[in-house]
Amino acid sequence: MSTVILGGGIIGLSTAYYLSLARASSSPAKTIHIIDSSPALLASASGFAGGFLAADWFSPPVASLGALSFRLHRELAEKHNGPRRWGYAGSHTYNLSVDERVAAKKSTATDRKGDWLREGTSRAEAAGSSNPDAGGRDSTGGGGAGGEMLNPDGSPAVWTPQPGGTLETISGPESCAQIEPRELCEFLLDECKKRGVQVHLSTKATGILTDDDGSLKGIKLQSTSNADDVDTRELECKDILISAGAWTPRVFKTLFPESKLQIPIEPLAGHSIVVKSPRYNTPFVDAAKRNIGGGSDNWLCYSIYCAPGRHWSYAMEAFARLARNGEAEIWLGGLNDSSLPLPELASDVKAMIDPESIKSLRKTTVQLTGLAKEGDEVNQDDLETVREGLCFRPVSQRGTPVIGKIPEHFLGLRPGEGGVWIASGHGPWGISLSLGTGFVMGEMISGEKPSADIRGLLIA
């Protein structure tokens, strides 16, 4: 019997990838189906995320999964040339702190009170200062030997020195990395298709099928490409995985309208921008020559986190990262909006991009990476826009992902050979936790013991 995965983002693709590996020599009847309601994949979080990976930035319930996933990311990159194919590289990670007293002395006449602090924190606080590869202040981050441009203080020139600003190293390339998420997803999708995974776009699940005993037998599907097309087709399956990101609660309610179970996941919208800089047109090189991720180029990325400050009113995060074949770019985000309503389809997100939010991100990007001018003049915007994005991340109310099997008594079903599963609620850690989540979901669906301790992540 088949397995149906509802949602073709990075969690669904990772699950299909590892499940198809395990079934490579199995009967063709054990087909894997990816169902997605949009006409194209990767229209939301999986296509526009920053791509930061961490090994040990997680709370105790997530720590085992986080460590497994980080290891799998590195192993996959080593096996399939991840540095060249999806920009995998170790990352030096900094916390940028700005002494407002020093910065105020160098403020320009255009500064306004609206630029001052508001409530919010930086994700970098999760790392603490206990990472074994984190030193004190380390401006060069191991760089400088690869021919990259440097600031007078020795820091990478991709980051414009901030008045009163200090870069504090909080992690290094042994425990942090970067990828270009869309290109990893495209690799996973291609590999899945090679092994017979079937992808159904513009298709939504509308109900389930049960046998005479009340056990799960299949799923009902309907096209989303034509509002007048109400024909429903049926697909027999043994297992259903709901991994629809921010749309997961909506999908669950459609399939099980009578269930009293509340999926504790909410959507959080976030804008982002990707640019190219004249000061970051070739990849940085790791002077330690550690070949992290299997690449012979020894490429290195840089990540910066910063709390709200005078120049940005949100917890900004920026990544000097790579794309395919070492193409260098800068991703910046952190401007979130919990009030933006979740659209019907992920493909509807693009039309919801807010020009004012992009304008704010652009201003921050120029302040952080633009060409510094003499004196107190505003940085010059010499950056080339690659793309602007908006995505909805699935944030769980308890602060951890929701992973595992949904007990049948919540669904009104009788226990059978398979079941209904969930993998969502990863919040800002969906890319980092993706491969580990897909790996353990594949194990559990196959009836095996998971390789990570996910007891604290179960739905019930």
Side-chain angles (χ1 to χ4, degrees):
M1 291 282 281
S2 301
T3 296
V4 169
I5 298 173
L6 302 178
I10 196 166
I11 302 298
L13 289 171
S14 297
T15 304
Y17 173 77
Y18 286 112
L19 198 56
S20 66
L21 278 178
R23 294 182 178 178
S25 60
S26 300
S27 167
K30 295 184 177 179
T31 308
I32 301 167
H33 299 266
I34 295 176
I35 310 295
D36 201 281
S37 58
S38 291
L41 298 181
L42 314 178
S44 188
S46 298
F48 294 92
F52 180 72
L53 311 177
D56 53 6
W57 286 34
F58 305 103
S59 62
V62 193
S64 177
L65 181 65
L68 170 66
S69 196
F70 190 80
R71 175 172 64 82
L72 290 173
H73 272 288
R74 182 164 293 182
E75 290 177 354
L76 192 71
E78 291 173 346
K79 184 176 182 180
H80 296 284
N81 196 15
R84 286 280 178 181
R85 299 181 71 174
W86 58 85
Y88 183 96
S91 178
H92 272 278
T93 307
Y94 300 110
N95 182 63
L96 172 62
S97 59
V98 179
D99 187 331
E100 297 293 346
R101 294 169 299 178
V102 175
K105 294 179 181 179
K106 298 187 177 183
S107 63
T108 70
T110 59
D111 291 334
R112 298 179 181 177
K113 292 183 178 179
D115 291 328
W116 286 94
L117 294 172
R118 70 174 186 179
E119 292 184 359
T121 58
S122 169
R123 174 161 45 165
E125 294 181 4
S129 58
S130 60
N131 292 294
D133 57 343
R137 187 179 185 278
D138 177 8
S139 295
T140 61
E148 64 264 30
M149 299 171 65
L150 301 176
N151 292 317
D153 65 354
S155 61
V158 61
W159 311 122
T160 306
Q162 301 298 306
T166 301
L167 290 177
E168 178 188 5
T169 302
I170 52 179
S171 288
E174 298 298 338
S175 62
C176 289
Q178 278 287 141
I179 63 167
E180 209 288 1
R182 177 180 292 273
E183 296 194 354
L184 173 59
C185 287
E186 290 174 350
F187 165 80
L188 295 173
L189 179 60
D190 287 343
E191 290 296 306
C192 286
K193 288 181 176 179
K194 289 177 183 177
R195 287 190 288 274
V197 175
Q198 298 185 27
V199 180
H200 310 262
L201 300 177
S202 298
T203 304
K204 66 178 180 180
T206 60
I208 60 167
L209 301 170
T210 58
D211 59 21
D212 294 338
D213 295 328
S215 299
L216 178 68
K217 186 181 74 170
I219 193 166
K220 298 177 182 179
L221 303 173
Q222 181 180 319
S223 171
T224 61
S225 61
N226 187 347
D228 296 328
D229 183 3
V230 294
D231 290 337
T232 297
R233 56 193 177 95
E234 299 178 351
L235 179 62
E236 289 193 359
C237 62
K238 187 185 71 161
D239 295 281
I240 297 173
L241 169 64
I242 306 176
S243 57
W247 286 264
T248 295
R250 190 176 293 177
V251 172
F252 177 81
K253 195 64 177 176
T254 299
L255 294 181
F256 304 99
E258 303 300 323
S259 176
K260 300 287 196 255
L261 179 64
Q262 298 295 316
I263 305 298
I265 295 171
E266 299 173 347
L268 178 62
H271 285 82
S272 64
I273 187 171
V274 179
V275 301
K276 290 183 177 294
S277 166
R279 290 159 298 285
Y280 183 48
N281 48 30
T282 58
F284 297 133
V285 176
D286 188 348
K289 302 294 181 184
R290 285 167 286 194
N291 294 313
I292 289 177
S296 60
D297 303 290
N298 300 296
W299 287 333
L300 183 73
C301 291
Y302 288 93
S303 308
I304 280 184
Y305 292 93
C306 186
R310 190 167 57 88
H311 289 289
W312 43 79
S313 60
Y314 48 92
M316 174 270 295
E317 49 191 51
F319 310 123
R321 70 182 190 184
L322 309 178
R324 193 183 302 272
N325 287 323
E327 185 176 346
E329 61 186 25
I330 302 165
W331 182 100
L332 188 140
L335 182 57
N336 301 320
D337 185 356
S338 60
S339 66
L340 205 59
L342 187 68
E344 181 64 24
L345 303 176
S347 53
D348 297 332
V349 171
K350 185 177 181 179
M352 300 172 66
I353 293 177
D354 175 34
E356 289 302 313
S357 294
I358 297 297
K359 182 179 179 182
S360 176
L361 286 172
R362 183 80 187 197
K363 178 182 176 182
T364 299
T365 307
V366 172
Q367 176 63 29
L368 186 66
T369 68
L371 179 63
K373 301 184 75 173
E374 294 293 331
D376 293 336
E377 292 188 56
V378 177
N379 291 348
Q380 178 181 335
D381 186 351
D382 62 344
L383 309 173
E384 174 191 348
T385 298
V386 176
R387 61 180 171 271
E388 301 163 349
L390 170 64
C391 63
F392 285 84
R393 288 165 293 181
V395 179
S396 96
Q397 297 167 2
R398 64 191 191 188
T400 61
V402 181
I403 297 173
K405 188 175 184 179
I406 303 177
E408 281 83 358
H409 68 266
F410 285 120
L411 311 174
L413 298 175
R414 290 179 61 86
E417 293 184 8
V420 179
W421 308 79
I422 185 170
S424 188
H426 295 72
W429 295 109
I431 306 301
S432 190
L433 296 172
S434 59
L435 297 188
T437 299
F439 193 84
V440 299
M441 289 309 308
E443 289 177 320
M444 290 188 292
I445 291 173
S446 299
E448 302 172 7
K449 180 181 178 180
S451 295
D453 181 0
I454 61 164
R455 288 174 294 179
L457 308 180
L458 300 175
I459 187 70

